[in-house]
Amino acid sequence: MEPPSTSPPTTMDQILAAEQDKWLADAKAAVKQQAFYMKKAIDEDNLRDVFKYSSAMLGELRTSLLSPQKYYELYMRAFDELRGLEMFFEEQRGKGHTASELYELVQHAGNVLPRLYLLVTVGSVFIRSHESSIKSLLKDLVEMCGGIQHPVRGLFLRTYLTQTSREGLNLIECKVDEESSTGDAVEFVLQNFTEMNKLWVRMKHQGPVRERGKREKERKELRDLVGKNLVILSSMEDVGVEMYGEIVLPRILEQVVNCKDELAQNYLMDCIIQVFPDEFHIKTMETFVEGCGNLHQDTNVAQILCGLIKRLSNFMENEPETSSGLFEEHQTFERLLDPATKISEKVGSQAAASIYAAILDFAVKTSEGKALGRVDQVLSKCAEALKTADVTSQASRTLKSILTTPLDSYAITDLLDLKSYPDVMQLLSPQMQNAVAVDIIEKILKKGTIIPNVKKVASLFDFISTIVEDIKSEEDEDDVDEEEIEEEQNLVARLVHQMKSEDESIDESFAILKLAKERFEKGGPLRVKHTLPTVVFDVLQLVKRDDDEERCEKMLKFLHSVIEVISEVPEPEKAFKLYLECILVADMKKLENSAYDFATAAFDIYENGIPDQKAQVEALKMLIGCLSSCSNFGEDNFDALSSAATKWSIKLLKKSDQCVSVFSCAHLFNIADEGNSEKVMVCLKRALTAAKQAQGMAKSSRGELGPVELFIAILNKYLFFFDKQEGEALIKAEDVQNLLDLVSNETSSLTTSGAEGNDRALKFYHNTLRHIMSQKEKFPEKYSALSLKS
């Protein structure tokens, strides 16, 4: 292992650090040496030499070479020696020297700094002697310490004064000295605090500008020396809330404001918050907040106010019974909100948002029955303060937390009464607004919350308008993320199911859905295609359980207008399917006119809105299936619809599609009716003709019915109607046998093929044969004429 490097330091910081260590070591050695001689003089009871060597020892504290951190180490070394010196002075009082004598003698020391350290040391003995009033001695000491104006040396001298004067302050509090009062003790601490703060602030202006950052760092290292005075004040038992409000706080704030230094103000205001009791803050709220308004423009006023509010909120959590009464008695919320609002107008958007976030949290935790009203007040003030501000991204995140905090504390239905909630949302970027809206919807869905009336639903739409309404300009269309919109709108569509009357009132629920339609229409094509279908299905549910025919017709008419909007998006296939759903419900309610209107609308979309051939085939299949499920159309209307379906089936381009669609149309006609029976037969014969035409063409593409399968399918239709009919009025056994022979011949060549399509056709054929054999056993007379080839 190589020995450690002994090379000299290379960087400037390393050089300075090495110099500091050397200077400190030299100063400590000098203190140690002079302390040795001082102790020797103490042992010899040589008062003159004690003064001489102690003064020389303390003279090392006159150095200006050390950084504050290194100076502190030197100070502590000297402080340890001063404790022994103080004991020596105490002993001298028992040997014929009075404290006043010692106090006079020590003032003859040559240098100011050592003299003042010795004066403070003797002064602590003088205070205990009761030879003079404590008030006079403390005043004398605190004033004489003003002789040191060097910031670092002065701060440590006064720190020593603070440490040695604690006993005198205790004596005053214990009423030992009749000439001194608590007010005198408070005055001493306040005066010392004021002078220490001035010295601390003066450090900022010393040295070259380029070292400003270094000096600020050094000042931070010394801040606790100044704050110690406030700790002493807070620990004085006789400093009650009245004295604090009338004397202590105003004097502290006066010095904090007048120093006009952001570092000092940030630290000392936080000190006030942390060291004094909660009750003091509650009862002096206006004074403190007013002081915040007078701080330097670079001071973080928001952080200070938030610190105070957090302290009070913690007080509520830790002592709810005590704090609740105090907050209400002293109107803490009101006395906090109004002045904080004035301050928020002078600071940036992030600082203002932080203030309102803290006040909102305070209102939520402390207001009980008045909470929602107070939350709305905070939101209103926040929106007003920031409506013309340049809201930064950081401020937006804070505002988002303002909006989500109530979501975690109150029921959504209660929050919908907050009139200013949407106003605050408008301050956010569109992306952030979307995030809050999604949070609201997800909480409603997760908890299964019902939004029970039109007023609440209207408020909810105001809250989530950013993802319901289309607010983007045309020039932003290229930036639209359709997948993101679809995801959001699927959430909104699920939300519609939560918008309904709690007492199942159809009128109220319908009014809610009408409002939903109005708001969704503002969402533009990308949104309504996802949201409006949900409105259709929910209205259909209302129609199904409603016994009022007039109201049902009114709701169905409304649905017609909703689906028209969807079709114009354009989403013709989706609109087509919705019309079919409406046909079925209208038919179920025996509302023929409404059902017929929906059917004609569906045919119109089929004819003019679905150009794709494959989609047309599927649409026609669904339409035929829908009509075949209806049972309450009049003869004329149904005949018109079924004829139209047959006509469009015949017009299909591919013969295979035409065949399937036409034989499906056969189900639209009642075989018990003689006129319709003929139409069934016409459909079946047309299908057979189309199948034969398809046979003469090229094989159909994979997945479609081939010619052989078409014949088998037609055979099954013949068998279906043959099974249902009474006698042979419609289909004769001879017709079925002819078709059966045709299929048998067609399939005979497929037995050894092994191709996928052939296997499917053969399976279809064998299942058909099994059905025929089963029917022959059940109805031998009817099926006796049918002969099956082996």
Side-chain angles (χ1 to χ4, degrees), residues 330-349:
H330 295 280
Q331 297 181 316
T332 306
F333 173 78
E334 290 77 10
R335 293 167 63 197
L336 178 63
L337 180 61
D338 291 339
T341 298
K342 294 178 181 177
I343 292 174
S344 70
E345 294 171 355
K346 303 176 183 179
V347 296
S349 60

Side-chain angles (χ1 to χ4, degrees), residues 19-31 66 70 74:
E19 288 180 344
Q20 286 285 308
D21 290 338
K22 180 179 180 301
W23 292 333
L24 177 61
D26 291 344
K28 279 185 174 181
V31 168
L66 298 176
K70 299 297 183 182
L74 180 63

Side-chain angles (χ1 to χ4, degrees), residues 84-121:
L85 181 62
E86 183 180 349
M87 293 176 62
F88 169 73
F89 288 144
E90 187 70 45
E91 292 172 357
Q92 290 301 306
R93 288 182 53 234
K95 297 179 179 180
H97 294 287
T98 63
S100 58
E101 272 184 68
L102 295 173
Y103 197 67
E104 281 293 326
L105 286 172
V106 79
Q107 295 189 46
H108 295 291
N111 292 309
V112 176
L113 186 64
R115 181 168 71 244
L116 290 175
Y117 269 102
L118 292 172
L119 194 66
V120 172
T121 305

Side-chain angles (χ1 to χ4, degrees), residues 383-394:
E384 180 66 23
L386 295 176
K387 66 180 180 181
T388 58
D390 180 17
V391 179
T392 64
S393 58
Q394 187 178 5

Side-chain angles (χ1 to χ4, degrees), residues 18-125:
E19 288 180 344
Q20 286 285 308
D21 290 338
K22 180 179 180 301
W23 292 333
L24 177 61
D26 291 344
K28 279 185 174 181
V31 168
K32 183 178 180 181
Q33 182 182 31
Q34 296 302 325
F36 172 78
Y37 294 125
M38 179 188 75
K39 291 174 183 176
K40 186 176 179 182
I42 289 174
D43 292 339
E44 296 173 353
D45 204 19
N46 187 335
L47 186 59
R48 190 182 70 174
D49 283 354
V50 168
F51 281 135
K52 173 184 174 183
Y53 291 119
S54 61
S55 180
M57 176 189 73
L58 293 167
E60 294 300 319
L61 294 174
R62 298 171 61 209
T63 180
S64 299
L65 299 175
L66 298 176
S67 68
Q69 186 178 21
K70 299 297 183 182
Y71 191 91
Y72 174 74
E73 293 184 40
L74 180 63
Y75 166 80
M76 290 305 298
R77 183 72 182 82
F79 177 79
D80 291 339
E81 302 298 342
L82 286 172
R83 306 315 296 169
L85 181 62
E86 183 180 349
M87 293 176 62
F88 169 73
F89 288 144
E90 187 70 45
E91 292 172 357
Q92 290 301 306
R93 288 182 53 234
K95 297 179 179 180
H97 294 287
T98 63
S100 58
E101 272 184 68
L102 295 173
Y103 197 67
E104 281 293 326
L105 286 172
V106 79
Q107 295 189 46
H108 295 291
N111 292 309
V112 176
L113 186 64
R115 181 168 71 244
L116 290 175
Y117 269 102
L118 292 172
L119 194 66
V120 172
T121 305
V122 175
S124 65
V125 176

Side-chain angles (χ1 to χ4, degrees), residues 86 123-130 133-135 137-138 141 161-177 180-182 184-186 188-189 232 236:
E86 183 180 349
S124 65
V125 176
F126 200 175
I127 288 172
R128 290 194 296 271
S129 71
H130 308 298
S133 74
I134 300 174
K135 168 186 174 181
L137 286 169
L138 290 177
L141 289 172
L161 174 63
T162 301
Q163 292 171 306
T164 56
S165 63
R166 289 301 300 273
E167 188 171 356
L169 299 178
N170 291 335
L171 290 173
I172 291 177
E173 284 199 281
C174 294
K175 314 298 183 186
V176 173
D177 183 5
S180 306
S181 65
T182 301
D184 299 323
V186 170
F188 166 77
V189 179
I232 293 172
M236 296 174 70

